[in-house]
Amino acid sequence: TSMHAKGGTFYGPSGFAHLAGEPAEQKMYRPALSDADATRIWTMSEELAHVSFPAPSTRSIDGAVAA
């Protein structure tokens, strides 16, 4: 993890079709903008990586506090 990475920001490969290349800030994928889809993606990521992460903050990507 880079010390220059910003929290709440999505990073991915910067190359063709975002499949390869150096890490770069990316636009959030549409499914990740839905709370239900984001929860599903988070849970699936934990299962696939065989790790458990602390629950994400209630702050949205733009820093607003969720109700």
Side-chain angles (χ1 to χ4, degrees):
T1 303
S2 171
M3 293 178 61
H4 303 290
K6 296 180 274 183
T9 304
F10 181 64
Y11 292 89
S14 61
F16 177 73
H18 305 285
L19 297 173
E22 294 293 318
E25 194 170 321
Q26 304 289 322
K27 181 178 175 184
M28 186 63 67
Y29 298 133
R30 186 180 307 260
L33 297 175
S34 154
D35 286 344
D37 288 340
T39 298
R40 180 181 55 79
I41 292 167
W42 186 269
T43 301
M44 187 178 293
S45 297
E46 288 183 318
E47 291 171 2
L48 291 171
H50 303 286
V51 296
S52 180
F53 298 105
S57 150
T58 58
R59 290 194 180 276
S60 68
I61 298 302
D62 65 3
V65 176

